[in-house]
Amino acid sequence: MQQPLHAKDHTPVRPGRLRVAWRAAHEPVAGVSRRMQLVAYAVPLTVLPSGIWRLPVAFGDGGGLGERAYVVSLSVLSEIFAFTAIGLIARWGEVFPQWIPFLRGRRVPRRAAVLPAAIGAAGLTLLFTLLFIVSEVRGTTIRGDDLPADYPSQAGGWEAAWFYFCYAPLTLWGPLLGVLTVAYWKRRSAAERTLVAA
């Protein structure tokens, strides 16, 4: 009797290099709670909508090449910086990856990860959380100037709603990074105390 096509012997498919690299970059180390995993994965998602909102500006009418390059670079770099939050839960945040010359395989000093993350969390919270909310309540720019007539929130209707939908998640970037930084510090401190005691 002939076997159906779907019942044939399947050899396991080897995952591609990209899939292996992706999994290695995102897989949490032991001791990371599910809640902290979700917080880390949420950080790049808080930045993504603002980048999506900016891209039509880059390719719309009226912008020069320099302005377009700036807007695209700002969006890409913001997302790259947001992705580094995943290092606070992943192996590459505790042991330098193989592709980094001279440091590969060595432990990341706790302070070398915590200090930039803490400065980043404080700066992002000040800029995107506190100043953004205060300026919106006062109806001014972050610098305290009156809002220009062409400011996105002044447009009203769907334009203003789309602006707030895309930029409101940025208010979470700093606080989420702060939570991850504290959790990273505590986890690494506990692990180092355990090593010393053993």
Side-chain angles (χ1 to χ4, degrees):
M1 184 167 103
Q2 188 177 11
Q3 290 183 337
L5 290 176
H6 66 276
K8 285 186 178 178
D9 181 32
H10 292 286
T11 56
V13 178
R14 241 180 95 211
R17 294 175 108 184
L18 183 60
R19 183 177 291 173
V20 170
W22 181 263
R23 191 173 294 138
H26 292 83
E27 191 170 334
V29 295
V32 174
S33 69
R34 180 75 176 144
R35 185 175 291 158
M36 285 303 111
Q37 290 176 44
L38 294 174
V39 169
Y41 299 150
V43 170
L45 297 176
T46 64
V47 178
L48 186 61
S50 62
I52 291 171
W53 185 87
R54 280 191 298 266
L55 288 179
V57 173
F59 298 106
D61 298 335
L65 182 61
E67 184 180 348
R68 289 180 177 161
Y70 167 75
V71 170
V72 171
S73 299
L74 177 64
S75 297
V76 170
L77 286 174
S78 295
E79 199 60 38
I80 289 170
F81 281 126
F83 180 78
T84 61
I86 294 174
L88 295 172
I89 65 157
R91 179 167 166 72
W92 57 271
E94 295 189 10
V95 177
F96 287 106
Q98 292 299 315
W99 55 267
I100 298 180
F102 308 113
L103 297 174
R104 62 181 64 139
R106 295 183 183 183
R107 278 195 78 65
V108 174
R110 189 173 24 147
R111 286 191 176 102
V114 169
L115 190 60
I119 291 170
L124 292 167
T125 300
L126 177 66
L127 180 64
F128 292 127
T129 307
L130 298 177
L131 290 179
F132 179 77
I133 291 171
V134 167
S135 65
E136 285 300 313
V137 169
R138 291 180 58 208
T140 62
T141 65
I142 288 178
R143 288 185 240 152
D145 303 329
D146 290 335
L147 290 176
D150 64 345
Y151 196 74
S153 66
Q154 300 293 95
W158 285 105
E159 273 187 57
W162 179 242
F163 168 74
Y164 285 118
F165 178 78
C166 290
Y167 268 85
L170 275 178
T171 61
L172 300 174
W173 188 5
L176 291 177
L177 184 58
V179 168
L180 284 170
T181 304
V182 170
Y184 178 89
W185 176 266
K186 287 181 176 180
R187 189 180 70 253
R188 290 285 307 271
S189 298
E192 288 172 14
R193 279 194 303 270
T194 304
L195 284 174
V196 169

